[in-house]
């Protein structure tokens, strides 16, 4: 079993595995999954072929490990940023942080999860399911945030957190794609602003 194998690895082995996954994640993000070879990963992680294959039997196994690591990173980041949001201004600050991070790379590369989804979801069912679960979890974080705002009286009772959260995540992911193609974060900012303007139309006056 994979879990049994992992528990038998030495600290040095675990460090090597982590280095391989981190290198692969960076390459997948910048170059794309399909354009990245195992030799690219091996060189970037300063590992031998035997070390790489000791941890991952093939590229697909490495891809699944990267999805797991990237998903945990993104969801932890979003949970941290949104858990304390109790005002619409707080939601705007969340938007500002995302747009600022995207603008630092001129809109390039997009969302780590979204980019992998575009490349993998029609070709590998296990990747599709894992990425879908990650987006579902991301959506739940947004829905929980909007539900909190409604319970605090910031939004009116007729605000539907489920629909608003879905729309907000769709605006974010679409914004990432447009920003990537334009090499400019402006489309992402506009998409998020329009989604937030709609949410604010339910603000209690």
């Amino acid at each position: 079993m994979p879990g049994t194998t992992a528990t038998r690895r030495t600290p040095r082995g675990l460090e090597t595995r982590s280095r391989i996954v981190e290198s692969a994640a960076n390459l997948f993000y910048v170059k794309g999954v399909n354009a990245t070879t195992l030799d690219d990963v091996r060189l970037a992680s300063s590992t031998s072929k035997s070390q790489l294959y000791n941890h991952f039997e093939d590229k697909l196994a490495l891809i699944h490990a990267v999805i797991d690591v990237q998903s945990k990173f993104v969801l932890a980041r979003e949970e941290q940023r949104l858990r304390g949001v109790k005002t619409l201004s707080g939601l705007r600050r969340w938007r500002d942080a995302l747009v600022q991070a995207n603008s630092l790379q001129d809109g390039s590369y997009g969302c780590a999860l979204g980019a992998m989804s575009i490349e993998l979801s029609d070709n590998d069912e296990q990747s599709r399911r894992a990425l879908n679960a990650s987006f579902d979890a991301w959506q739940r974080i947004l829905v929980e945030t909007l539900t909190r705002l409604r319970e605090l009286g910031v939004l009116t009772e007729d605000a539907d957190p489920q629909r608003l959260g879905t729309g907000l995540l769709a605006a974010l992911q679409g914004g990432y794609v447009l920003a990537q193609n334009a090499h400019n974060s402006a489309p992402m900012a506009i998409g998020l602003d329009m989604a937030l303007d709609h949410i604010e139309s339910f603000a209690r006056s």
Side-chain angles (χ1 to χ4, degrees):
M1 294 294 289
T4 303
T5 303
T7 59
R8 292 175 180 171
R9 296 200 184 279
T10 64
R12 185 176 179 180
L14 291 173
E15 189 279 330
T16 299
R17 185 184 191 278
S18 178
R19 191 169 72 251
I20 292 170
V21 173
E22 181 179 356
S23 297
N26 290 334
L27 287 168
F28 289 173
Y29 184 56
V30 175
K31 292 184 62 175
V33 176
N34 293 327
T36 299
T37 67
L38 288 179
D39 280 340
D40 293 331
V41 176
R42 182 178 58 79
L43 291 172
S45 60
S46 300
T47 52
S48 65
K49 285 187 177 181
S50 61
Q51 284 177 307
L52 194 152
Y53 283 107
N54 182 49
H55 292 279
F56 303 100
E57 63 180 2
D58 54 24
K59 184 178 177 180
L60 199 55
L62 178 57
I63 288 170
H64 295 157
V66 169
I67 291 173
D68 182 60
V69 168
Q70 291 285 58
S71 294
K72 288 176 180 176
F73 172 79
V74 170
L75 293 173
R77 181 197 68 196
E78 294 301 284
E79 174 66 28
Q80 182 178 28
R81 287 178 175 175
L82 289 165
R83 71 173 61 148
V85 170
K86 297 180 180 179
T87 64
L88 292 173
S89 295
L91 206 53
R92 290 282 180 181
R93 286 192 293 272
W94 166 79
R95 169 266 189 214
D96 291 345
L98 288 169
V99 173
Q100 182 181 26
N102 186 258
S103 67
L104 291 175
Q105 53 198 32
D106 298 321
S108 301
Y109 313 126
C111 169
L113 300 183
M116 285 192 290
S117 180
I118 290 171
E119 289 198 75
L120 297 169
S121 290
D122 290 335
N123 302 310
D124 177 44
E125 180 62 15
Q126 184 173 338
S127 293
R128 186 200 67 78
R129 289 197 305 268
L131 288 162
N132 185 60
S134 298
F135 282 116
D136 282 347
W138 197 343
Q139 181 179 328
R140 283 195 299 273
I141 294 171
L142 291 169
V143 170
E144 289 168 2
T145 301
L146 294 167
T147 300
R148 186 188 316 123
L149 293 180
R150 189 176 66 177
E151 291 173 348
L152 290 171
V154 176
L155 299 177
T156 58
E157 287 299 318
D158 57 338
D160 184 339
Q162 189 68 41
R163 288 177 59 84
L164 294 174
T166 300
L168 185 54
L169 183 57
L172 173 58
Q173 290 302 316
Y176 269 125
V177 171
L178 293 179
Q180 183 177 3
N181 281 294
H183 279 195
N184 188 319
S185 62
M188 178 182 179
I190 291 170
L192 285 172
D193 283 342
M194 293 187 70
L196 291 175
D197 285 347
H198 180 59
I199 290 171
E200 290 181 3
S201 71
F202 293 95
R204 192 178 296 276
S205 55

